[in-house]
Amino acid sequence: MTDAKDERRPAGELEASVLAALWAAGAPRTPGQVRQSLGADLARTTVTTILTRLHDKGVVDRRRQGRGYVYLPVRDVPDVHGLTARRMHSELDRDSDRETVLARFVAQLSPDDERVLRDLLASGDR
């Protein structure tokens, strides 16, 4: 039997998926429409919770429509890349052998990404 905890998505993965669905839609969407576009077995309340969290973070905007809201991504979000960075950190935190995880991550970088990473580390811009 599988533990329910083991089946949970990594932190931030669902937020990123919901945000990507909103960007792809190109128009305001209800939680039900977002849920349908994800094609995942998620409760509408789960999607609503994620949309509310993204709204609280300032990543999505919402407008009243009937008794609920429609959501749309904020165009000039100062920390949209922060969501991806947080997801990367949470993945790293899931494994006790950080050195191996980082080594494999770096080994799979493209030459351009490797150069960017080297430049960032050399400049101390972290």
Side-chain angles (χ1 to χ4, degrees):
M1 187 152 124
T2 307
D3 185 32
K5 181 181 166 204
D6 294 334
E7 294 177 17
R8 295 188 70 166
R9 287 179 175 80
E13 181 179 309
L14 189 52
E15 283 185 351
S17 297
V18 167
L19 190 56
L22 285 176
W23 278 106
R29 292 287 180 237
T30 65
Q33 291 169 322
V34 172
R35 177 180 169 253
Q36 186 176 19
S37 69
L38 291 172
D41 188 25
L42 296 170
R44 186 193 53 76
T45 54
T46 300
V47 175
T48 301
T49 298
I50 296 302
L51 288 165
T52 300
R53 288 179 185 165
L54 290 169
H55 177 261
D56 292 345
K57 293 177 182 182
V59 177
V60 301
D61 196 8
R62 68 182 179 194
R63 298 181 189 145
R64 181 64 84 173
Q65 180 175 314
R67 295 184 322 188
Y69 291 100
V70 291
Y71 295 83
L72 62 155
V74 174
R75 294 287 173 203
D76 298 320
V77 177
D79 196 30
V80 73
H81 299 296
L83 286 174
T84 302
R86 282 192 292 276
R87 199 167 81 232
M88 292 169 69
H89 275 287
S90 70
E91 284 298 315
L92 185 60
D93 290 343
R94 290 174 57 128
D95 197 302
S96 60
D97 190 356
R98 294 174 77 93
E99 185 175 343
T100 300
V101 172
L102 286 169
R104 289 193 178 160
F105 175 77
V106 171
Q108 295 174 5
L109 290 174
S110 71
D112 287 341
D113 287 343
E114 186 176 338
R115 180 190 46 76
V116 169
L117 184 57
R118 285 182 191 278
D119 291 348
L120 285 170
L121 291 171
S123 73
D125 233 5
R126 293 177 229 165

